[in-house]
Amino acid sequence: MTGTVADSAQSNENNTTLEFATPEKQEARAILRERFLRVITGIVGKQAEFYLHENTRVSAEFRGCDVDCLEVYVRNLETPLGKIPEAILRASDIMYLDVNDINVAQ
């Protein structure tokens, strides 16, 4: 009886792994990752407004992010307290960002 329960649990684990790794899902993840990377590289050098928690809004030139997208690198950060030449914003502090003229080439 215990062998059957263990076999059943292992079978369910294998099915879950296989469902996650289907070729269609892998292709979908690859397409989404490519789109994300194209967006990130497309907005480098663009002026952006960052909406942070507690209704704080700052603006800066978007310069990039780290591999895990946990930190956002900016230049000429304009805050309510003044201007900072270069800064790193934590992605967890950013609710959303707005990039004007996203389709305009620089």
Side-chain angles (χ1 to χ4, degrees):
M1 177 116 175
T2 52
T4 306
V5 171
D7 291 340
S8 177
Q10 185 176 4
S11 176
N12 287 339
E13 185 177 305
N14 289 341
N15 287 341
T16 303
T17 304
L18 292 177
E19 289 174 16
F20 180 78
T22 62
E24 295 84 13
K25 289 186 180 183
Q26 287 180 353
E27 184 177 347
R29 282 193 298 276
I31 290 169
L32 292 173
R33 180 70 176 161
E34 181 181 356
R35 285 182 183 176
F36 171 76
L37 293 172
R38 287 183 187 274
V39 168
I40 293 298
T41 57
I43 64 173
V44 169
K46 303 276 187 181
Q47 190 66 22
E49 287 193 56
F50 297 87
Y51 295 82
L52 311 175
H53 293 284
E54 298 185 17
N55 295 323
T56 304
R57 186 174 72 187
V58 297
S59 64
E61 177 188 338
F62 182 88
R63 297 303 302 156
C65 63
D66 65 344
V67 173
D68 297 320
C69 203
L70 297 175
E71 296 176 332
V72 175
Y73 309 113
V74 297
R75 184 176 290 158
N76 299 322
L77 178 66
E78 296 179 24
T79 73
L81 296 176
K83 192 170 187 176
I84 301 170
E86 293 185 343
I88 297 173
L89 303 175
R90 293 180 301 204
S92 61
D93 291 339
I94 302 170
M95 296 183 70
Y96 67 96
L97 67 101
D98 187 16
V99 179
N100 292 329
D101 301 324
I102 197 166
N103 292 325
V104 177
Q106 288 185 340

